Amino acid sequence: MVKGYSQSTTTAGWTDLFQSLSDPVALLQIRATHQPAVLRCNTAFEILFGLHHSHGPALFSQLPADFTWLLQQLDQHSAAPVWCLLAEDGSCRHFKLQSAVKDSEPHLCLLMMQDISEQENALLALKKQNKELQQRLTDIEQLKNRIREQSIRDPLTNLYNRRFLNEFMERELALARRNQKPLAVVMLDLDHFKQLNDQFGHQTGDKVIEMVAKHLLRQSRRTDILFRYGGEEFLVILPNTNATQARHLAENWRVHVEQAQVFAKHQAVNITLSAGVACYPEQGTTAFNLIQAADEALYQAKAAGRNQVVMC
């Protein structure tokens, strides 16, 4: 707060003390029964508020309403309040208000306004830069997540790809061991897919793979994790699933794919798949052993005539 002042402030000494200051200064008169008034002010104050009161004190009504409201709250602030003057061009000048009140009737208040626009604008610019930096960091993080998601997804089916399989399998096996829960792996392969590609073309082959992926997703549980293992081969990890449940799920997928209709060159194409099932811990305790066991069961399904599910 500004230190006390003498009565000479209201005399000609005012000019010598304050008139040459670049910051606005004013002597305010505050009466209980009358509207507060500006008794004296320096040139900087007059220019700031556009005052011309050489013939008498200026009333508070000649000052901006938000400024006068802040003046009336001065004695309630533990720290000097800041007032913002908004210009027509959208820029803002900031002033720190400091006052000293003489306890008499009428009350006299010496108001000094320190222009802190440069500091405030620098602070606002810094806050804006920090906000922009934070947004850039958020955008980068989201981009990294999208890139990672794209790197572990098959673009045709949107299923996880083989690159993500080992990482996921190790995590699910660790959970199964820790919680002493079963886990099943199902390997699926479309029957006679090479013949289909040769007869109808790769575009039809891609359409069939897409269709099968959608059927697998539609008939899967929320906890099942589906992968496009390669070409026309799919792999599904079934957490907390025993052999009986895994066989039932695989059979359900087989039936739905068999019943689906695909048309190519104006004719219906019959699609079937074979599946092999392996379970943890019976057929293996590592990702490699389980996948190998499911693959061997799939080979047995193919050898036995295709379009069937075989347990390892």
Side-chain angles (χ1 to χ4, degrees):
M1 301 293 288
V2 177
K3 294 183 178 179
Y5 54 92
S6 65
Q7 188 65 29
S8 63
T9 310
T10 61
T11 68
W14 172 273
T15 302
D16 300 330
L17 279 172
F18 302 113
Q19 195 60 42
S20 62
L21 292 179
S22 59
D23 285 335
V25 179
L27 182 66
L28 311 177
Q29 184 183 62
I30 304 174
R31 293 177 177 271
T33 56
H34 295 82
Q35 186 177 16
V38 180
L39 294 180
R40 289 180 178 273
C41 61
N42 67 354
T43 302
F45 192 94
E46 290 180 350
I47 293 174
L48 182 65
F49 294 108
L51 297 180
H52 303 283
H53 60 281
S54 56
H55 300 295
L59 298 178
F60 267 31
S61 58
Q62 295 175 254
L63 304 177
D66 62 328
F67 177 72
T68 57
W69 179 88
L70 200 57
L71 290 181
Q72 293 166 351
Q73 312 299 317
L74 277 176
D75 58 345
Q76 301 178 18
H77 289 270
S78 56
V82 174
W83 177 66
C84 175
L85 175 63
L86 188 64
E88 292 183 359
D89 62 358
S91 62
C92 188
R93 293 181 65 188
H94 298 85
F95 295 90
K96 182 188 289 185
L97 306 185
Q98 297 176 291
S99 67
V101 179
K102 185 174 181 62
D103 293 326
S104 62
E105 183 56 41
H107 292 303
L108 298 179
C109 173
L110 179 63
L111 174 70
M112 299 190 69
M113 301 174 61
Q114 180 185 0
D115 191 338
I116 59 170
S117 301
E118 187 174 342
Q119 302 96 302
E120 285 293 311
N121 290 334
L123 182 61
L124 289 173
L126 181 60
K127 289 181 178 178
K128 182 180 179 182
Q129 289 174 0
N130 287 339
K131 185 176 180 181
E132 290 174 351
L133 178 59
Q134 188 59 49
Q135 184 59 51
R136 287 184 63 187
L137 291 174
T138 300
D139 292 343
I140 291 171
E141 189 62 30
Q142 290 175 348
L143 179 60
K144 284 170 59 180
N145 291 336
R146 285 200 298 269
I147 291 173
R148 170 167 169 75
E149 187 68 15
Q150 290 170 3
S151 72
I152 62 177
R153 292 280 186 180
D154 171 57
L156 178 63
T157 62
N158 203 37
L159 301 181
Y160 290 116
N161 59 28
R162 192 167 179 173
R163 182 182 305 171
F164 188 51
L165 176 59
N166 288 337
E167 177 184 338
F168 207 94
M169 273 289 289
E170 292 300 333
R171 186 169 66 192
E172 289 302 315
L173 280 171
L175 286 172
R177 280 192 290 267
R178 186 185 311 133
N179 300 323
Q180 297 183 344
K181 298 290 185 180
L183 180 142
V185 174
V186 180
M187 187 80 77
L188 308 105
D189 187 79
L190 300 183
D191 298 326
H192 305 296
F193 187 75
K194 185 178 183 305
Q195 295 177 19
L196 183 143
N197 263 341
D198 292 342
Q199 183 178 356
F200 298 105
H202 290 283
Q203 188 172 3
T204 299
D206 286 348
K207 183 179 177 182
V208 168
I209 289 173
E210 247 188 307
M211 179 273 292
V212 171
K214 288 178 181 177
H215 274 285
L216 294 178
L217 283 169
R218 196 176 297 123
Q219 301 303 321
S220 297
R221 305 167 304 179
R222 294 182 62 182
T223 54
D224 301 338
I225 308 101
L226 285 75
F227 297 82
R228 185 181 179 189
Y229 194 68
E232 69 276 17
E233 223 172 355
F234 300 88
L235 184 143
V236 188
I237 301 174
L238 308 173
N240 196 23
T241 304
N242 60 33
T244 302
Q245 294 168 324
R247 185 184 184 92
H248 174 77
L249 287 167
E251 183 64 23
N252 189 47
W253 292 327
R254 186 196 65 78
V255 170
H256 275 86
V257 169
E258 185 180 28
Q259 293 174 347
Q261 285 189 328
V262 178
F263 291 90
K265 296 182 179 179
H266 308 292
Q267 61 178 300
V269 179
N270 294 322
I271 306 298
T272 63
L273 60 77
S274 301
V277 182
C279 295
Y280 165 87
E282 292 85 352
Q283 281 81 49
T285 57
T286 67
F288 176 80
N289 290 340
L290 278 173
I291 293 174
Q292 187 178 48
D295 197 43
E296 289 175 0
L298 172 62
Y299 179 79
Q300 293 173 26
K302 293 282 190 181
R306 296 181 172 83
N307 193 25
Q308 58 186 284
V309 178
V310 170
M311 296 288 300
C312 183

